Amino acid sequence: VDAFQAWCGPCKTVVDLFRKIRNEAGSDLLHFAVAEVDSIDALEKYRGKCEPVFLFYAGGELVAVVRGVNAPLLQKTILEQL
């Protein structure tokens, strides 16, 4: 989940990376989403940050967090979680 604030919008620079990983992994277990933290109370702790935050869930539980746009770390985290 790309957790973003309304004033900055979702991180558009990683959309291509996510598409590439999705195509390469070809996994039905892999889903990407965006969430505006300003309108979701459960994501309140991510408000007020000026860096992108990527949340990784498995089985309904938060399993990893990547702060900032770090393509190698995002890719590594996604593949590890699969």
Side-chain angles (χ1 to χ4, degrees):
V1 177
D2 178 357
F4 71 94
Q5 291 189 165
W7 59 269
C8 65
C11 187
K12 295 175 184 173
T13 60
V14 297
V15 171
D16 289 336
L17 173 65
F18 287 164
R19 277 195 194 115
K20 176 182 177 248
I21 293 170
R22 170 79 178 179
N23 289 337
E24 289 175 358
S27 175
D28 290 337
L29 298 174
L30 183 58
H31 302 281
F32 297 109
V34 294
E36 184 182 330
V37 300
D38 298 318
S39 61
I40 302 172
D41 291 338
L43 299 176
E44 181 179 9
K45 68 181 177 181
Y46 300 105
R47 294 177 189 161
K49 310 287 189 237
C50 64
E51 66 181 347
V53 176
F54 300 93
L55 309 173
F56 296 85
Y57 289 88
E61 299 291 323
L62 182 65
V63 295
V65 176
V66 173
R67 295 182 184 276
V69 179
N70 180 335
L73 181 56
L74 283 167
Q75 184 166 0
K76 177 182 178 209
T77 304
I78 292 167
L79 296 175
E80 284 176 351
Q81 295 305 318
L82 284 176

Coordinates of all heavy atoms in Angstrom, one line a residue:
V1 N 0.9 -1.2 0.0 CA 0.0 0.0 0.0 C 0.9 1.2 0.0 O 1.8 1.4 0.9 CB -0.9 0.0 1.2 CG1 -1.7 1.3 1.3 CG2 -1.8 -1.2 1.3
D2 N 0.7 2.1 -1.0 CA 1.4 3.4 -1.0 C 0.5 4.3 -0.1 O -0.5 4.8 -0.5 CB 1.4 3.9 -2.4 CG 2.1 5.3 -2.6 OD1 2.4 5.9 -1.6 OD2 2.2 5.7 -3.7
A3 N 1.0 4.6 1.1 CA 0.3 5.5 2.0 C 0.8 6.9 1.8 O 1.9 7.2 1.9 CB 0.6 5.1 3.5
F4 N -0.2 7.8 1.4 CA 0.1 9.1 1.0 C -0.8 10.1 1.7 O -1.9 9.8 2.2 CB 0.1 9.3 -0.5 CG -1.3 9.3 -1.1 CD1 -2.0 10.4 -1.3 CD2 -1.9 8.1 -1.4 CE1 -3.3 10.4 -1.8 CE2 -3.2 8.0 -1.9 CZ -3.9 9.2 -2.1
Q5 N -0.4 11.4 1.6 CA -1.2 12.5 2.1 C -1.8 13.2 0.9 O -1.2 13.3 -0.1 CB -0.4 13.4 3.0 CG 0.0 12.8 4.3 CD 0.6 13.8 5.3 OE1 0.7 13.5 6.4 NE2 1.0 15.0 4.8
A6 N -3.0 13.8 1.1 CA -3.7 14.4 0.0 C -2.9 15.5 -0.6 O -2.9 15.7 -1.9 CB -5.0 15.0 0.5
W7 N -2.1 16.3 0.1 CA -1.4 17.4 -0.4 C -0.2 17.0 -1.3 O 0.2 17.8 -2.1 CB -0.8 18.3 0.7 CG 0.1 17.6 1.7 CD1 -0.2 17.0 2.8 CD2 1.5 17.5 1.6 NE1 0.9 16.4 3.4 CE2 2.0 16.8 2.7 CE3 2.4 17.9 0.6 CZ2 3.3 16.5 2.9 CZ3 3.8 17.6 0.8 CH2 4.2 16.9 1.9
C8 N 0.2 15.8 -1.3 CA 1.3 15.4 -2.2 C 0.9 14.3 -3.1 O 1.6 14.0 -4.1 CB 2.5 15.0 -1.4 SG 2.3 13.5 -0.4
G9 N -0.2 13.6 -2.9 CA -0.6 12.5 -3.8 C 0.2 11.3 -3.7 O 1.3 11.2 -3.1
P10 N -0.3 10.2 -4.3 CA 0.5 8.9 -4.3 C 1.8 9.1 -5.1 O 1.9 9.9 -5.9 CB -0.4 7.9 -5.0 CG -1.4 8.7 -5.7 CD -1.5 10.1 -5.1
C11 N 2.8 8.2 -4.8 CA 4.1 8.3 -5.4 C 4.0 7.7 -6.8 O 4.0 6.5 -7.0 CB 5.1 7.5 -4.6 SG 6.8 7.7 -5.2
K12 N 4.0 8.6 -7.8 CA 3.9 8.2 -9.2 C 5.1 7.5 -9.7 O 5.1 6.8 -10.7 CB 3.4 9.3 -10.0 CG 2.1 9.8 -9.7 CD 1.7 11.1 -10.4 CE 0.3 11.6 -10.0 NZ 0.0 12.8 -10.5
T13 N 6.3 7.8 -9.1 CA 7.5 7.3 -9.6 C 7.7 5.8 -9.4 O 8.5 5.2 -10.1 CB 8.7 8.1 -9.0 OG1 8.7 7.8 -7.6 CG2 8.7 9.5 -9.3
V14 N 7.0 5.2 -8.5 CA 7.1 3.8 -8.3 C 6.1 2.9 -9.1 O 6.2 1.7 -9.1 CB 7.1 3.4 -6.8 CG1 8.3 4.0 -6.1 CG2 5.8 3.8 -6.2
V15 N 5.1 3.6 -9.7 CA 4.1 2.8 -10.5 C 4.7 1.9 -11.5 O 4.4 0.7 -11.6 CB 3.1 3.8 -11.1 CG1 2.2 3.0 -12.1 CG2 2.3 4.5 -10.1
D16 N 5.7 2.4 -12.2 CA 6.4 1.5 -13.2 C 7.1 0.4 -12.6 O 7.1 -0.7 -13.1 CB 7.3 2.4 -14.1 CG 6.6 3.3 -15.1 OD1 5.4 3.0 -15.4 OD2 7.2 4.3 -15.5
L17 N 7.8 0.7 -11.4 CA 8.5 -0.4 -10.7 C 7.5 -1.5 -10.3 O 7.7 -2.7 -10.5 CB 9.2 0.2 -9.5 CG 9.8 -0.8 -8.5 CD1 10.9 -1.6 -9.2 CD2 10.3 -0.2 -7.3
F18 N 6.3 -1.1 -9.7 CA 5.3 -2.0 -9.3 C 4.8 -2.9 -10.5 O 4.6 -4.1 -10.3 CB 4.2 -1.3 -8.6 CG 4.5 -0.8 -7.2 CD1 3.7 0.1 -6.6 CD2 5.6 -1.2 -6.5 CE1 4.0 0.6 -5.3 CE2 5.9 -0.7 -5.3 CZ 5.1 0.2 -4.7
R19 N 4.6 -2.2 -11.6 CA 4.1 -2.9 -12.8 C 5.2 -4.0 -13.2 O 4.8 -5.1 -13.5 CB 3.9 -2.0 -13.9 CG 2.5 -1.3 -13.9 CD 2.2 -0.7 -15.2 NE 1.1 0.2 -15.0 CZ 1.1 1.5 -15.2 NH1 2.2 2.1 -15.6 NH2 0.0 2.2 -15.0
K20 N 6.4 -3.6 -13.2 CA 7.5 -4.5 -13.6 C 7.6 -5.7 -12.7 O 7.7 -6.8 -13.1 CB 8.8 -3.7 -13.6 CG 10.1 -4.5 -13.9 CD 11.3 -3.7 -13.8 CE 12.5 -4.6 -14.1 NZ 13.4 -4.7 -12.9
I21 N 7.5 -5.4 -11.4 CA 7.6 -6.5 -10.4 C 6.4 -7.4 -10.6 O 6.5 -8.7 -10.6 CB 7.7 -6.0 -9.0 CG1 9.0 -5.2 -8.8 CG2 7.5 -7.1 -8.0 CD1 9.1 -4.5 -7.5
R22 N 5.2 -6.9 -10.7 CA 4.0 -7.6 -10.9 C 4.1 -8.5 -12.2 O 3.8 -9.7 -12.1 CB 2.8 -6.7 -11.0 CG 1.5 -7.3 -11.4 CD 0.9 -8.0 -10.3 NE -0.4 -8.6 -10.7 CZ -1.2 -9.3 -10.0 NH1 -0.9 -9.5 -8.8 NH2 -2.3 -9.7 -10.5
N23 N 4.6 -8.0 -13.3 CA 4.7 -8.7 -14.5 C 5.7 -9.9 -14.3 O 5.5 -11.0 -14.8 CB 5.1 -7.8 -15.7 CG 3.9 -7.0 -16.1 OD1 2.8 -7.3 -15.8 ND2 4.3 -5.8 -16.7
E24 N 6.9 -9.6 -13.7 CA 7.9 -10.6 -13.5 C 7.5 -11.7 -12.5 O 7.8 -12.8 -12.7 CB 9.2 -9.9 -13.0 CG 9.9 -9.1 -14.1 CD 11.1 -8.3 -13.6 OE1 11.4 -8.4 -12.4 OE2 11.7 -7.6 -14.4
A25 N 6.9 -11.3 -11.4 CA 6.5 -12.2 -10.4 C 5.3 -13.1 -10.8 O 5.2 -14.2 -10.5 CB 6.2 -11.5 -9.1
G26 N 4.4 -12.4 -11.6 CA 3.2 -13.1 -12.1 C 2.4 -13.8 -11.0 O 1.8 -14.8 -11.2
S27 N 2.4 -13.2 -9.8 CA 1.8 -13.9 -8.7 C 0.4 -13.3 -8.4 O 0.2 -12.1 -8.4 CB 2.6 -13.7 -7.4 OG 1.9 -14.2 -6.3
D28 N -0.6 -14.2 -8.2 CA -1.9 -13.7 -7.9 C -2.0 -13.2 -6.4 O -3.0 -12.7 -6.0 CB -3.0 -14.8 -8.1 CG -3.2 -15.1 -9.5 OD1 -2.9 -14.3 -10.4 OD2 -3.6 -16.3 -9.9
L29 N -0.9 -13.5 -5.7 CA -0.8 -13.1 -4.3 C -0.4 -11.6 -4.1 O -0.5 -11.0 -3.1 CB 0.1 -13.9 -3.5 CG -0.2 -15.4 -3.4 CD1 1.0 -16.2 -2.8 CD2 -1.5 -15.6 -2.7
L30 N 0.0 -11.0 -5.2 CA 0.6 -9.7 -5.2 C -0.4 -8.6 -5.7 O -0.9 -8.7 -6.8 CB 1.8 -9.6 -6.1 CG 2.6 -8.3 -6.1 CD1 3.1 -7.9 -4.7 CD2 3.8 -8.5 -7.0
H31 N -0.8 -7.7 -4.8 CA -1.7 -6.6 -5.1 C -1.1 -5.3 -4.6 O -0.6 -5.3 -3.5 CB -3.0 -6.9 -4.4 CG -3.7 -8.2 -4.8 ND1 -4.3 -8.4 -6.0 CD2 -3.7 -9.4 -4.2 CE1 -4.7 -9.6 -6.0 NE2 -4.3 -10.3 -4.9
F32 N -1.3 -4.3 -5.4 CA -0.8 -2.9 -5.0 C -2.0 -2.0 -4.8 O -3.0 -2.2 -5.6 CB 0.1 -2.4 -6.1 CG 1.3 -3.1 -6.3 CD1 1.5 -3.9 -7.5 CD2 2.3 -3.1 -5.4 CE1 2.7 -4.6 -7.7 CE2 3.5 -3.9 -5.6 CZ 3.7 -4.6 -6.7
A33 N -1.9 -1.1 -3.9 CA -3.0 -0.2 -3.6 C -2.5 1.1 -3.1 O -1.3 1.2 -2.7 CB -4.0 -0.8 -2.5
V34 N -3.3 2.1 -3.1 CA -2.9 3.4 -2.6 C -4.0 3.8 -1.5 O -5.1 3.4 -1.6 CB -2.9 4.5 -3.6 CG1 -1.7 4.3 -4.6 CG2 -4.2 4.7 -4.4
A35 N -3.5 4.5 -0.5 CA -4.4 4.9 0.6 C -4.1 6.3 1.1 O -2.9 6.6 1.4 CB -4.3 3.9 1.8
E36 N -5.1 7.1 1.1 CA -4.9 8.5 1.6 C -4.9 8.5 3.1 O -6.0 8.3 3.7 CB -5.9 9.5 1.0 CG -5.7 10.9 1.4 CD -6.8 11.8 0.9 OE1 -7.3 11.6 -0.2 OE2 -7.0 12.8 1.6
V37 N -3.8 8.7 3.8 CA -3.8 8.6 5.2 C -4.6 9.7 5.9 O -5.0 9.5 7.1 CB -2.3 8.7 5.8 CG1 -1.5 7.5 5.2 CG2 -1.6 10.0 5.5
D38 N -4.9 10.8 5.3 CA -5.7 11.8 5.9 C -7.2 11.4 6.1 O -7.8 11.9 7.0 CB -5.7 13.1 5.0 CG -4.3 13.7 4.9 OD1 -3.6 13.7 5.9 OD2 -4.0 14.1 3.7
S39 N -7.6 10.4 5.4 CA -9.0 10.0 5.5 C -9.2 8.6 6.1 O -10.3 8.1 6.2 CB -9.7 10.0 4.1 OG -9.0 9.1 3.2
I40 N -8.1 8.0 6.6 CA -8.2 6.7 7.2 C -7.6 6.7 8.6 O -6.3 6.9 8.7 CB -7.4 5.6 6.3 CG1 -8.0 5.6 4.9 CG2 -7.5 4.3 7.0 CD1 -7.2 4.8 3.9
D41 N -8.4 6.6 9.6 CA -7.9 6.8 11.0 C -6.9 5.8 11.3 O -5.9 6.1 12.1 CB -9.1 6.7 11.9 CG -10.1 7.9 11.8 OD1 -9.6 8.9 11.4 OD2 -11.3 7.7 12.2
A42 N -6.9 4.6 10.8 CA -5.9 3.5 11.2 C -4.5 3.9 10.7 O -3.6 3.4 11.2 CB -6.4 2.2 10.6
L43 N -4.5 4.8 9.7 CA -3.2 5.2 9.2 C -2.7 6.6 9.7 O -1.8 7.2 9.1 CB -3.2 5.2 7.6 CG -3.5 3.9 7.0 CD1 -3.6 4.0 5.5 CD2 -2.4 2.9 7.3
E44 N -3.3 7.1 10.7 CA -3.0 8.4 11.3 C -1.6 8.6 11.6 O -1.0 9.7 11.4 CB -3.9 8.6 12.6 CG -3.7 10.0 13.2 CD -4.5 10.2 14.4 OE1 -5.2 9.2 14.9 OE2 -4.6 11.3 14.9
K45 N -0.9 7.6 12.1 CA 0.5 7.8 12.4 C 1.4 8.1 11.2 O 2.6 8.5 11.4 CB 1.1 6.5 13.2 CG 1.2 5.3 12.4 CD 1.7 4.2 13.3 CE 1.7 2.9 12.6 NZ 2.2 1.8 13.4
Y46 N 0.9 7.9 10.0 CA 1.7 8.2 8.8 C 1.5 9.6 8.3 O 2.0 10.0 7.3 CB 1.5 7.2 7.7 CG 1.8 5.8 8.2 CD1 0.8 4.9 8.5 CD2 3.1 5.4 8.3 CE1 1.2 3.6 8.9 CE2 3.5 4.1 8.7 CZ 2.5 3.2 9.1 OH 2.8 2.0 9.5
R47 N 0.6 10.4 9.0 CA 0.3 11.8 8.6 C 1.5 12.7 9.0 O 2.2 12.4 9.9 CB -0.9 12.3 9.3 CG -2.2 11.5 8.8 CD -3.4 12.0 9.5 NE -4.5 11.1 9.2 CZ -5.6 11.0 9.9 NH1 -5.8 11.7 11.0 NH2 -6.5 10.1 9.6
G48 N 1.7 13.8 8.2 CA 2.7 14.8 8.6 C 4.1 14.4 8.1 O 5.0 15.1 8.4
K49 N 4.2 13.3 7.3 CA 5.5 12.9 6.8 C 5.6 13.4 5.4 O 4.7 13.4 4.6 CB 5.7 11.4 6.8 CG 5.3 10.8 8.1 CD 6.4 11.0 9.2 CE 6.1 10.2 10.4 NZ 5.9 10.9 11.6
C50 N 6.8 13.9 5.0 CA 7.0 14.4 3.7 C 7.6 13.3 2.7 O 7.9 13.6 1.6 CB 7.8 15.6 3.6 SG 9.5 15.4 4.2
E51 N 7.8 12.1 3.2 CA 8.4 11.0 2.4 C 7.3 10.0 2.2 O 6.4 9.7 3.0 CB 9.6 10.4 3.1 CG 9.3 9.6 4.3 CD 10.5 9.1 5.0 OE1 11.6 9.0 4.4 OE2 10.4 8.6 6.1
P52 N 7.4 9.3 1.0 CA 6.4 8.2 0.8 C 6.6 7.1 1.8 O 7.8 6.8 2.2 CB 6.8 7.8 -0.7 CG 7.6 8.8 -1.2 CD 8.3 9.5 -0.1
V53 N 5.6 6.4 2.1 CA 5.6 5.2 3.0 C 4.9 4.1 2.3 O 3.8 4.3 1.8 CB 4.9 5.5 4.3 CG1 4.9 4.3 5.2 CG2 5.7 6.7 5.0
F54 N 5.5 2.9 2.2 CA 5.0 1.8 1.6 C 4.8 0.7 2.6 O 5.7 0.3 3.3 CB 5.9 1.3 0.4 CG 6.1 2.3 -0.6 CD1 7.1 3.2 -0.5 CD2 5.2 2.5 -1.6 CE1 7.3 4.2 -1.5 CE2 5.3 3.5 -2.6 CZ 6.4 4.3 -2.5
L55 N 3.5 0.3 2.8 CA 3.1 -0.7 3.8 C 2.9 -2.1 3.1 O 2.2 -2.1 2.1 CB 1.9 -0.2 4.5 CG 1.9 1.2 5.0 CD1 0.5 1.6 5.6 CD2 3.0 1.4 6.1
F56 N 3.4 -3.1 3.7 CA 3.3 -4.4 3.2 C 2.4 -5.3 4.2 O 2.8 -5.4 5.3 CB 4.6 -5.1 3.0 CG 5.5 -4.3 2.0 CD1 6.2 -3.2 2.3 CD2 5.4 -4.7 0.6 CE1 7.0 -2.6 1.4 CE2 6.2 -4.1 -0.3 CZ 6.9 -3.0 0.0
Y57 N 1.3 -5.8 3.7 CA 0.4 -6.7 4.5 C 0.4 -8.1 3.9 O 0.5 -8.3 2.7 CB -1.0 -6.1 4.4 CG -1.1 -4.8 5.2 CD1 -0.9 -3.6 4.5 CD2 -1.5 -4.8 6.5 CE1 -1.0 -2.4 5.2 CE2 -1.7 -3.6 7.2 CZ -1.4 -2.4 6.5 OH -1.5 -1.2 7.2
A58 N 0.3 -9.0 4.9 CA 0.1 -10.4 4.5 C -0.8 -11.0 5.5 O -0.7 -10.8 6.7 CB 1.4 -11.2 4.5
G59 N -1.9 -11.6 5.1 CA -2.9 -12.2 6.0 C -3.5 -11.2 6.8 O -3.9 -11.5 8.0
G60 N -3.7 -10.0 6.3 CA -4.3 -8.9 7.1 C -3.4 -8.2 8.1 O -3.9 -7.3 8.8
E61 N -2.2 -8.6 8.2 CA -1.2 -8.1 9.2 C -0.1 -7.3 8.5 O 0.4 -7.7 7.4 CB -0.6 -9.2 10.0 CG -1.6 -10.0 10.8 CD -2.2 -9.2 11.9 OE1 -1.5 -8.4 12.6 OE2 -3.4 -9.5 12.2
L62 N 0.3 -6.2 9.1 CA 1.4 -5.4 8.6 C 2.7 -6.2 8.8 O 3.0 -6.5 10.0 CB 1.5 -4.0 9.3 CG 2.6 -3.1 8.9 CD1 2.3 -2.6 7.4 CD2 2.6 -1.9 9.8
V63 N 3.4 -6.5 7.8 CA 4.6 -7.3 7.9 C 5.9 -6.5 7.6 O 7.0 -7.0 7.9 CB 4.5 -8.6 7.0 CG1 3.4 -9.5 7.5 CG2 4.3 -8.2 5.5
A64 N 5.8 -5.4 6.9 CA 7.0 -4.6 6.5 C 6.6 -3.2 6.2 O 5.5 -2.9 5.7 CB 7.7 -5.3 5.4
V65 N 7.5 -2.3 6.4 CA 7.3 -0.9 6.0 C 8.6 -0.4 5.4 O 9.7 -0.6 5.8 CB 7.1 0.0 7.3 CG1 7.0 1.5 6.9 CG2 5.8 -0.5 8.0
V66 N 8.5 0.3 4.2 CA 9.6 0.9 3.6 C 9.3 2.4 3.5 O 8.3 2.8 2.9 CB 9.8 0.4 2.1 CG1 10.9 1.1 1.4 CG2 10.2 -1.1 2.2
R67 N 10.2 3.2 4.0 CA 10.0 4.7 4.0 C 10.9 5.2 2.9 O 12.1 4.9 2.8 CB 10.4 5.3 5.3 CG 9.4 4.9 6.4 CD 9.8 5.6 7.7 NE 8.9 5.1 8.8 CZ 7.7 5.5 9.0 NH1 7.2 6.5 8.3 NH2 7.0 5.0 10.0
G68 N 10.4 6.1 2.0 CA 11.1 6.7 1.0 C 11.1 5.9 -0.3 O 10.8 4.7 -0.2
V69 N 11.5 6.5 -1.4 CA 11.5 5.8 -2.7 C 12.9 5.2 -2.9 O 13.8 5.9 -3.3 CB 11.2 6.7 -3.8 CG1 11.2 6.0 -5.2 CG2 9.8 7.3 -3.6
N70 N 13.0 3.9 -2.5 CA 14.3 3.2 -2.7 C 13.9 2.0 -3.5 O 13.5 0.9 -2.9 CB 14.8 2.8 -1.3 CG 16.1 2.0 -1.3 OD1 16.4 1.4 -2.3 ND2 16.8 2.1 -0.2
A71 N 14.0 2.1 -4.8 CA 13.6 1.0 -5.7 C 14.2 -0.4 -5.4 O 13.5 -1.4 -5.3 CB 13.9 1.4 -7.2
P72 N 15.5 -0.5 -5.1 CA 16.1 -1.8 -4.8 C 15.5 -2.4 -3.5 O 15.2 -3.6 -3.4 CB 17.6 -1.5 -4.6 CG 17.8 -0.3 -5.4 CD 16.6 0.5 -5.3
L73 N 15.3 -1.5 -2.5 CA 14.7 -2.0 -1.2 C 13.2 -2.4 -1.4 O 12.8 -3.4 -0.8 CB 14.9 -0.9 -0.1 CG 14.3 -1.3 1.3 CD1 15.0 -2.6 1.8 CD2 14.5 -0.2 2.2
L74 N 12.5 -1.6 -2.2 CA 11.1 -2.0 -2.4 C 11.0 -3.3 -3.1 O 10.2 -4.2 -2.7 CB 10.4 -0.9 -3.3 CG 10.0 0.4 -2.5 CD1 9.6 1.5 -3.5 CD2 8.9 0.1 -1.6
Q75 N 11.8 -3.5 -4.1 CA 11.8 -4.7 -4.9 C 12.2 -5.9 -4.0 O 11.5 -7.0 -4.0 CB 12.7 -4.7 -6.1 CG 12.6 -5.9 -7.0 CD 13.3 -5.7 -8.3 OE1 13.8 -4.7 -8.6 NE2 13.2 -6.8 -9.1
K76 N 13.2 -5.7 -3.2 CA 13.7 -6.8 -2.3 C 12.6 -7.2 -1.3 O 12.3 -8.3 -1.0 CB 14.9 -6.3 -1.6 CG 15.5 -7.3 -0.6 CD 16.7 -6.8 0.2 CE 17.1 -7.8 1.2 NZ 17.8 -7.2 2.4
T77 N 12.0 -6.2 -0.7 CA 10.9 -6.4 0.3 C 9.7 -7.1 -0.4 O 9.2 -8.1 0.2 CB 10.5 -5.0 0.9 OG1 11.6 -4.4 1.4 CG2 9.4 -5.3 2.0
I78 N 9.3 -6.7 -1.5 CA 8.2 -7.3 -2.2 C 8.5 -8.8 -2.5 O 7.7 -9.7 -2.1 CB 7.8 -6.6 -3.5 CG1 7.3 -5.2 -3.3 CG2 6.9 -7.5 -4.4 CD1 7.2 -4.3 -4.5
L79 N 9.7 -9.1 -3.0 CA 10.0 -10.5 -3.4 C 10.2 -11.3 -2.1 O 9.8 -12.5 -2.1 CB 11.3 -10.5 -4.2 CG 11.1 -9.8 -5.6 CD1 12.4 -9.8 -6.4 CD2 10.0 -10.5 -6.4
E80 N 10.7 -10.7 -1.0 CA 10.9 -11.5 0.2 C 9.5 -11.8 0.8 O 9.3 -12.9 1.3 CB 11.7 -10.7 1.3 CG 13.1 -10.6 1.0 CD 13.9 -9.7 2.0 OE1 13.2 -9.0 2.8 OE2 15.1 -9.7 2.0
Q81 N 8.5 -10.9 0.7 CA 7.2 -11.1 1.3 C 6.4 -12.2 0.5 O 5.6 -12.8 1.0 CB 6.5 -9.8 1.4 CG 7.1 -8.9 2.4 CD 7.3 -9.5 3.8 OE1 6.4 -10.2 4.3 NE2 8.4 -9.2 4.4
L82 N 6.7 -12.3 -0.8 CA 6.0 -13.3 -1.7 C 6.5 -14.7 -1.3 O 5.8 -15.6 -1.3 CB 6.3 -13.1 -3.1 CG 5.5 -11.9 -3.8 CD1 6.0 -11.7 -5.2 CD2 4.0 -12.2 -3.7

